[in-house]
Amino acid sequence: MRWKLAFLLFLGCAYFNAYYNARRLFEQAEEEREKGKDVKALYDQVIRKASKVIAFYPKSRWVDDSLLLLGKALYRKGEYEQAVRKFRELREYFPESGLVDEAKYWEGMALGEAGRREEALSVLVELAEGKDKWACRASAALGDLYDDPTEALSWYERALHCIEGPELFAVGLRLARTYRRAGRPEEAERLIRNLLRKKPPLDLSYLLQEELAGALSDMGRHEEALEIYRELERIGSAEVLLGVGRVYSKMGRREEALKLYAEVAGAFPKTREAVQAWWESGRLLLRLGRWKEARDAFRKATEEGIPCEEARQAGEYGEKLEHLEELKARADSTGDVRDRVAL
């Protein structure tokens, strides 16, 4: 009997050690991901170790934990469909597990990333009806899923009333941005000032101050906005320089704005900030009637090679301007009234 007991104890330790190692690697990967490091290899190790627990110890008490860990690692790697399957397996085979709500949250997130928006909404809305932290996080995730700022606002506001810790400031930032998108900068200002009084972490404090400057500029309080940006210039952020450029543009200091955008594009190549700089330049040049320069700016935005909304829009604007240039050239060369009407 003693050897049987020892063997069972050994198996129990093996189950836990395999799961513990996978969890430790996942935590390490999450920390390094926050620092901007390439952590794909770490997530691969998590997937291997968590899969081993599920395959070799299917009766152990750590299988639901391992399924959740496996799904989260797959999510972080961008393998969303596989992640959805793992979260659903946990919910189906372990309906009494204390991890069901967390699995449902991550399932909703993965469905959203996989482009299955309606399914994501269904999962997250059901979860948001609860009372725990995952219900609160589901509300924030629902805000992210809505393009319409009016619809997003109600979910972010709901999340802000129940979220705790550093997440409070991250959700508050998203809510402030959505207030601005909805044309409600006054509410964005009130919210941000309230959050700043609560002493957010330094990185979120910078982002909140940037958003505050943007809200002030939205209300025509450009000098106040510039004062905040000047305080932030010491961190050397591309976003700060872009913000100053946008304020200059609104103030009519257009050449100064164009110069700043060019500085950002030169100092931060192959980044979304560079794309945004070319995009802002193109739009400003277009308003100034400098079509050829605007077309070149839009082209450079796409050449940065960063897939984002600004690059997509720059591509569309660039194509339209090229078409207009072709029509103008044809009208000039033929003198045909029909060509000038098309122009």
Side-chain angles (χ1 to χ4, degrees):
M1 288 297 294
R2 287 184 178 178
W3 70 267
K4 287 184 179 180
L5 180 60
F7 180 69
L8 289 172
L9 288 171
F10 168 77
L11 280 182
C13 290
Y15 305 154
F16 178 73
N17 285 339
Y19 166 70
Y20 174 77
N21 288 334
R23 189 181 70 182
R24 182 177 53 79
L25 283 167
F26 184 80
E27 291 169 353
Q28 180 185 345
E30 291 288 275
E31 289 176 6
E32 296 192 11
R33 185 181 68 87
E34 287 293 323
K35 298 173 184 175
K37 295 182 180 179
D38 182 1
V39 290
K40 179 179 177 294
L42 281 173
Y43 287 126
D44 284 335
Q45 289 185 62
V46 174
I47 290 168
R48 285 195 297 272
K49 290 182 180 295
S51 298
K52 182 179 177 181
V53 175
I54 297 164
F56 293 104
Y57 312 115
K59 301 293 185 181
S60 82
R61 59 173 292 194
W62 307 107
V63 174
D64 54 342
D65 298 82
S66 297
L67 275 170
L68 181 65
L69 205 55
L70 176 54
K72 287 159 69 173
L74 289 165
Y75 176 90
R76 290 302 191 203
K77 284 190 64 187
E79 298 176 20
Y80 303 119
E81 295 291 353
Q82 290 186 59
V84 167
R85 285 196 289 274
K86 296 306 168 187
F87 298 133
R88 286 184 174 173
E89 284 175 25
L90 191 159
R91 295 210 289 137
E92 180 180 354
Y93 296 117
F94 300 92
E96 302 303 318
S97 171
L99 302 174
V100 165
D101 281 352
E102 184 176 356
K104 189 180 287 188
Y105 167 78
W106 284 103
E107 181 185 334
M109 296 286 285
L111 286 166
E113 292 291 352
R116 296 160 63 180
R117 183 174 178 277
E118 293 306 315
E119 291 176 80
L121 288 173
S122 177
V123 169
L124 291 170
V125 166
E126 182 182 347
L127 179 59
E129 292 173 356
K131 300 293 183 182
D132 63 5
K133 70 176 182 180
W134 296 109
C136 201
R137 289 177 178 175
S139 296
L142 284 162
D144 295 340
L145 279 173
Y146 283 102
D147 294 325
D148 181 348
T150 304
E151 293 185 39
L153 280 174
S154 62
W155 289 111
Y156 285 140
E157 288 170 341
R158 183 171 175 173
L160 197 69
H161 285 107
C162 59
I163 210 90
E164 296 178 348
E167 287 179 281
L168 170 72
F169 302 104
V171 172
L173 177 62
R174 281 136 72 188
L175 176 56
R177 287 172 175 165
T178 309
Y179 277 139
R180 288 184 61 201
R181 285 173 52 216
R184 296 159 62 177
E186 298 88 353
E187 289 170 85
E189 180 191 5
R190 281 196 295 272
L191 171 61
I192 294 168
R193 291 194 186 281
N194 182 48
L195 290 170
L196 288 171
R197 282 193 288 270
K198 296 180 180 179
K199 306 297 182 185
L202 193 59
D203 57 339
L204 284 168
S205 175
Y206 288 149
L207 292 173
L208 285 164
Q209 289 178 73
E210 287 175 24
E211 203 63 30
L212 175 59
L216 292 170
S217 183
D218 291 343
M219 293 183 281
R221 294 156 61 183
H222 303 309
E223 291 298 339
E224 291 179 70
L226 287 176
E227 186 176 340
I228 292 173
Y229 281 132
R230 289 188 191 105
E231 287 293 318
L232 293 171
E233 279 179 350
R234 64 183 183 277
I235 66 176
S237 163
E239 278 296 337
V240 170
L241 295 175
L242 285 169
V244 174
R246 293 182 187 113
V247 175
Y248 281 164
S249 180
K250 291 176 183 177
M251 295 175 75
R253 297 163 63 175
R254 298 181 178 90
E255 293 304 321
E256 290 175 87
L258 289 170
K259 183 179 177 182
L260 265 179
Y261 294 147
E263 286 180 16
V264 172
F268 302 91
K270 304 301 178 185
T271 64
R272 183 170 186 175
E273 288 76 14
V275 176
Q276 290 172 330
W278 289 123
W279 165 243
E280 295 287 358
S281 292
R283 291 204 304 165
L284 179 51
L285 289 163
L286 197 57
R287 291 198 296 272
L288 293 172
R290 292 155 62 176
W291 286 18
K292 289 184 180 180
E293 292 175 83
R295 183 195 60 196
D296 289 342
F298 291 137
R299 175 179 52 79
K300 288 175 181 176
T302 60
E303 289 175 350
E304 292 290 343
I306 305 297
C308 59
E309 180 61 18
E310 293 87 356
R312 185 190 66 77
Q313 292 187 6
E316 290 181 358
Y317 272 64
E319 287 176 8
K320 290 176 182 177
L321 287 175
E322 284 182 15
H323 182 59
L324 286 171
E325 286 288 330
E326 290 170 5
L327 288 175
K328 184 177 183 300
R330 189 168 68 193
D332 289 344
S333 64
T334 64
D336 194 316
V337 172
R338 288 171 296 180
D339 288 332
R340 294 198 176 275
V341 169
L343 180 60

